[in-house]
Amino acid sequence: MPELAYINGDVMPIENAMIPIEDRGNQFGDAVYEVIASRNGRLFCMEEHLNRLERSMRALSLPVIPRDTIEQAILNLFGQAQIPRAALYIQISRGVSPRNHGYPENPCPMFIMTIRPVKDMPESCRTEGVGVITVPDTRWGRCDIKTVQLLPNIMAKQRAIESGAADAIFISADGIAREGTSSNLFVVRNNRLITHPLTPEILRGITRIVILDLCKSLNIPVEERRFHQRELFLADEVFFTGTISEVLPIVRIDGKTVGNGRVGPISSRLYQMLLKKMSD
Ligand SMILES: Cc1ncc(COP(=O)(O)O)c(C=O)c1O
């Protein structure tokens, strides 16, 4: 199971992969990315990830690499690595050019990937839930574009780790609960799900869409609306969704218990259904 990297057409061991110092992704965060996970040797929701990648490239006016090229490169790398439970990272930057804020005239995009085994979280996180903290949302106004500019996310995650929590929930200046540092946020109250609507303030999570589809099939009503952080403490269940976090139940927020402090039936059911869908 070699951990591999890909740079503009070349595949190599990850430790040998280097990109030029003046790559704009490196100097300006002028790049977009995706993470696709596999289970049992199958990449999950590749179409959806490619759609979002294309949307992100267009939003930043990056030169759009043809979809076929990206898809073939992904399948080749995945095939070569032979990692059944993999995290495949894709990044496309505006390429290499002498440092200058304005876009280069004829940008040649830098398309890089890495593939590694997923470090799955302990099973106890699924069965007992995790604690999280809340942090002010200091991110920019286009969180719907999946760019590599993740400083607020990594700083919030680090704050969570340092306070013994699993992750952090971003809260807007007016108290709206947005999402996690790498996950979308759901609340369950009286058997109804509530999640933030698709606005520029959150990422359009692929797992979020899968969960909304599963809710439809289970006849679980969903409200896509903004909700105040107060509602987190009125909830029966709270959970994150994401490519790596999948469905992660939250039982403590800022040291206070959520619901009855145990993983709820809806989170558990959705997690099991998601796993089944990923393995089908
Ligand atoms: C800020 C943020 N929200 C939500 C998500 C979940 O998105 P997905 O389900 O596509 O992994 C991510 C994933 O990286 C993220 O970074």
Side-chain angles (χ1 to χ4, degrees), residues 45-170:
C45 284
M46 174 138 122
E47 281 298 302
E48 291 79 358
H49 282 283
L50 290 178
N51 289 343
R52 187 171 63 186
L53 182 62
E54 198 169 310
R55 181 181 184 276
S56 299
M57 287 191 278
R58 289 192 193 285
L60 296 193
S61 308
L62 289 174
V64 174
I65 299 175
R67 195 186 175 98
D68 281 0
T69 309
I70 299 179
E71 196 167 337
Q72 266 318 311
I74 290 174
L75 293 175
N76 286 341
L77 189 70
F78 186 60
Q80 284 190 50
Q82 292 290 314
I83 302 174
R85 174 80 175 124
L88 193 146
Y89 175 82
I90 306 161
Q91 177 177 314
I92 296 173
S93 81
R94 205 179 305 274
V96 180
S97 62
R99 188 177 184 281
N100 182 13
H101 284 55
Y103 298 171
E105 250 169 50
N106 295 305
C108 180
M110 172 76 74
F111 171 19
I112 63 176
M113 295 191 280
T114 58
I115 185 160
R116 286 204 158 102
V118 172
K119 283 199 191 85
D120 274 311
M121 55 187 80
E123 194 51 30
S124 60
C125 295
R126 312 286 178 189
T127 53
E128 290 162 29
V130 298
V132 303
I133 58 169
T134 56
V135 294
D137 192 354
T138 56
R139 299 174 301 163
W140 74 325
R142 290 303 307 273
C143 297
D144 58 319
I145 310 172
K146 202 163 165 64
T147 80
V148 300
Q149 304 194 106
L150 292 171
L151 259 184
N153 306 55
I154 65 167
M155 289 168 78
K157 176 80 179 190
Q158 186 59 25
R159 222 170 113 182
I161 292 167
E162 284 169 10
S163 47
D167 206 339
I169 297 174
F170 285 117

Side-chain angles (χ1 to χ4, degrees), residues 13-268:
I14 217 163
E15 60 274 16
N16 297 349
M18 310 268 178
I19 53 170
I21 197 163
E22 287 195 307
D23 181 80
R24 290 179 63 96
N26 174 38
Q27 291 187 324
F28 295 114
D30 189 2
V32 297
Y33 79 104
E34 280 296 324
V35 178
I36 309 181
S38 70
R39 267 195 185 273
N40 301 337
R42 258 196 63 220
L43 289 167
F44 186 59
C45 284
M46 174 138 122
E47 281 298 302
E48 291 79 358
H49 282 283
L50 290 178
N51 289 343
R52 187 171 63 186
L53 182 62
E54 198 169 310
R55 181 181 184 276
S56 299
M57 287 191 278
R58 289 192 193 285
L60 296 193
S61 308
L62 289 174
V64 174
I65 299 175
R67 195 186 175 98
D68 281 0
T69 309
I70 299 179
E71 196 167 337
Q72 266 318 311
I74 290 174
L75 293 175
N76 286 341
L77 189 70
F78 186 60
Q80 284 190 50
Q82 292 290 314
I83 302 174
R85 174 80 175 124
L88 193 146
Y89 175 82
I90 306 161
Q91 177 177 314
I92 296 173
S93 81
R94 205 179 305 274
V96 180
S97 62
R99 188 177 184 281
N100 182 13
H101 284 55
Y103 298 171
E105 250 169 50
N106 295 305
C108 180
M110 172 76 74
F111 171 19
I112 63 176
M113 295 191 280
T114 58
I115 185 160
R116 286 204 158 102
V118 172
K119 283 199 191 85
D120 274 311
M121 55 187 80
E123 194 51 30
S124 60
C125 295
R126 312 286 178 189
T127 53
E128 290 162 29
V130 298
V132 303
I133 58 169
T134 56
V135 294
D137 192 354
T138 56
R139 299 174 301 163
W140 74 325
R142 290 303 307 273
C143 297
D144 58 319
I145 310 172
K146 202 163 165 64
T147 80
V148 300
Q149 304 194 106
L150 292 171
L151 259 184
N153 306 55
I154 65 167
M155 289 168 78
K157 176 80 179 190
Q158 186 59 25
R159 222 170 113 182
I161 292 167
E162 284 169 10
S163 47
D167 206 339
I169 297 174
F170 285 117
I171 307 290
S172 74
D174 50 355
I176 303 300
R178 300 277 193 221
E179 61 182 336
T181 64
S182 56
S183 307
N184 291 112
L185 179 65
F186 286 75
V187 155
V188 181
R189 193 171 174 201
N190 300 330
N191 297 314
R192 295 174 80 81
L193 252 70
I194 308 164
T195 194
H196 199 285
L198 294 182
T199 65
E201 289 105 356
I202 65 158
L203 187 75
R204 297 160 168 245
I206 306 297
T207 324
R208 178 187 179 281
I209 299 170
V210 175
I211 291 298
L212 293 185
D213 282 348
L214 288 174
C215 286
K216 215 175 260 173
S217 71
L218 292 170
N219 283 323
I220 299 173
V222 178
E223 292 175 36
E224 291 180 70
R225 63 165 172 84
R226 290 182 167 83
F227 59 95
H228 196 271
Q229 59 177 330
R230 273 191 304 271
E231 293 194 54
L232 294 168
F233 298 102
L234 300 172
D236 303 313
E237 301 177 39
V238 177
F239 61 89
F240 278 144
T241 64
T243 295
I244 303 298
S245 54
E246 298 178 327
V247 175
L248 183 62
I250 296 170
V251 293
R252 258 178 337 278
I253 302 175
D254 293 334
K256 287 177 250 162
T257 301
V258 171
N260 63 8
R262 289 197 294 273
V263 174
I266 294 190
S267 322
S268 303

